[in-house]
Amino acid sequence: MKTELPDALLKIAVETALVAGKEILSVYETGNFSIEAKADKSPLTSADKLAHAVIAAKLEETGVPVLSEEGRAIPYAERAALTRLWIVDPLDGTKEFISRSGDFTVNIALIDEGQPVLGVIYVPVLDELFFGIVGDGAYKVEGTSRFKSIGELMATAIKLPLKSDGARYRVVNSRSHMNERTTAFIDSLRQKHPDLEIVQRGSSFKICMVASGEADIYPRFGPTMEWDTAAGHAIALAAGKHMVKADEQGDLAYNKENLLNPFFIVQ
């Protein structure tokens, strides 16, 4: 990787994701955490809250506003005037956290003029880090805990996508959001790729799999919010992949009045 980073904010985002991930693991490993229901009936754990507090405190130092799933909802009238903001999911995959599948992530993205320009995703259980800046490249680090400094960690990162192993065409989809439209889409792919392989994973890790070349496509025909996808979107773009609306085509936009995403496809 280049020794000169195009944006100093990347180091801050990487450090923040790693610290938040370690806080999440400290809760996960004990198995002792509280669970409550949010207004949309989705679960919220004490680990979500802890990660949000860590991320909000560290990113506040950048002077860039933070829009977090677990934080204060910035009114659209205020957000609309922002050219740059962080969009964060402190713990993406809370259901996976609760079920102890390990498929949960920390998502941090920097949005500029409605587009993702920087993304960091950390997978605490695997100790894997993905990060990228659009136009500069995307990278992966395995075993982040072995490095003594963020600079050393980032200097030894592997550029994405990785070389394909020549395996079958791989479709990655959600463990918990399979539906009829997704099934029909996969069936249509099977006409071109009779021996395709379906891989089920949780959280934004699915986008990382496409960015890294471990999967060929990720179709999402179910609801997601901007904080679910922003970091992965940036990493996918930085890796030379595409993430487009499933129905109308065109790129996903961020910092919208309605933070709900359209259906999309990553490939």
Side-chain angles (χ1 to χ4, degrees):
M1 183 181 173
K2 296 179 182 178
T3 55
E4 291 184 9
L5 294 173
D7 196 331
L9 293 176
L10 178 59
K11 277 190 174 181
I12 296 173
V14 166
E15 181 181 11
T16 301
L18 293 176
V19 172
K22 288 177 173 56
E23 293 290 344
I24 292 169
L25 273 184
S26 70
V27 177
Y28 184 74
E29 290 171 349
T30 65
N32 183 22
F33 51 86
S34 62
I35 305 174
E36 58 188 85
K38 294 189 287 190
D40 63 359
K41 298 184 180 180
S42 62
L44 176 69
T45 71
S46 49
D48 292 81
K49 295 179 179 180
L50 182 60
H52 165 73
V54 168
I55 293 171
K58 291 188 73 65
L59 293 185
E60 185 178 359
E61 299 172 7
T62 68
V64 178
V66 178
L67 176 64
S68 169
E69 179 179 13
E70 312 308 345
R72 180 179 67 89
I74 306 174
Y76 181 66
E78 182 181 337
R79 285 195 290 109
L82 299 174
T83 57
R84 176 177 281 191
L85 78 160
W86 296 106
I87 294 185
V88 171
D89 193 340
L91 202 172
D92 182 29
T94 300
K95 291 181 180 178
E96 306 293 344
F97 177 91
I98 294 170
S99 67
R100 305 190 66 78
S101 75
D103 275 3
F104 53 87
T105 59
V106 178
N107 301 348
I108 299 177
L110 184 67
I111 305 300
D112 200 338
E113 299 288 356
Q115 297 299 313
V117 294
L118 178 158
V120 176
I121 292 177
Y122 181 51
V123 190
V125 169
L126 297 179
D127 196 20
E128 290 185 356
L129 176 75
F130 299 84
F131 62 89
I133 289 180
V134 177
D136 187 65
Y139 301 84
K140 177 181 180 180
V141 181
E142 297 180 348
T144 69
S145 57
R146 73 182 189 274
F147 296 102
K148 297 180 180 179
S149 70
I150 297 298
E152 179 187 357
L153 178 154
M154 296 175 72
T156 56
I158 301 170
K159 192 163 186 178
L160 303 179
L162 306 173
K163 185 177 179 180
S164 173
D165 61 5
R168 293 180 295 175
Y169 189 84
R170 289 175 177 165
V171 183
V172 60
N173 69 349
S174 175
R175 292 183 189 275
S176 54
H177 294 94
M178 193 69 170
N179 55 33
E180 291 184 6
R181 185 166 179 184
T182 306
T183 301
F185 182 83
I186 293 174
D187 288 343
S188 70
L189 290 175
R190 192 173 274 112
Q191 295 179 16
K192 291 184 179 180
H193 308 279
D195 61 344
L196 71 76
E197 178 183 359
I198 299 174
V199 182
Q200 291 189 319
R201 300 304 295 260
S203 73
S204 62
F205 189 63
K206 298 186 290 295
I207 304 177
C208 293
M209 290 184 68
V210 177
S212 68
E214 297 171 81
D216 295 284
I217 190 169
Y218 164 38
R220 179 63 183 229
F221 298 105
T224 59
M225 303 298 289
E226 290 188 10
W227 43 71
D228 296 317
T229 61
H233 192 172
I235 293 168
L237 291 177
K241 304 295 182 177
H242 302 283
M243 185 167 172
V244 297
K245 299 174 186 175
D247 297 322
E248 310 103 16
Q249 297 302 301
D251 294 329
L252 275 67
Y254 293 86
N255 196 25
K256 307 185 304 295
E257 181 171 7
N258 183 349
L259 296 169
L260 182 69
N261 287 323
F263 299 159
F264 60 84
I265 296 172
V266 188
Q267 62 183 335

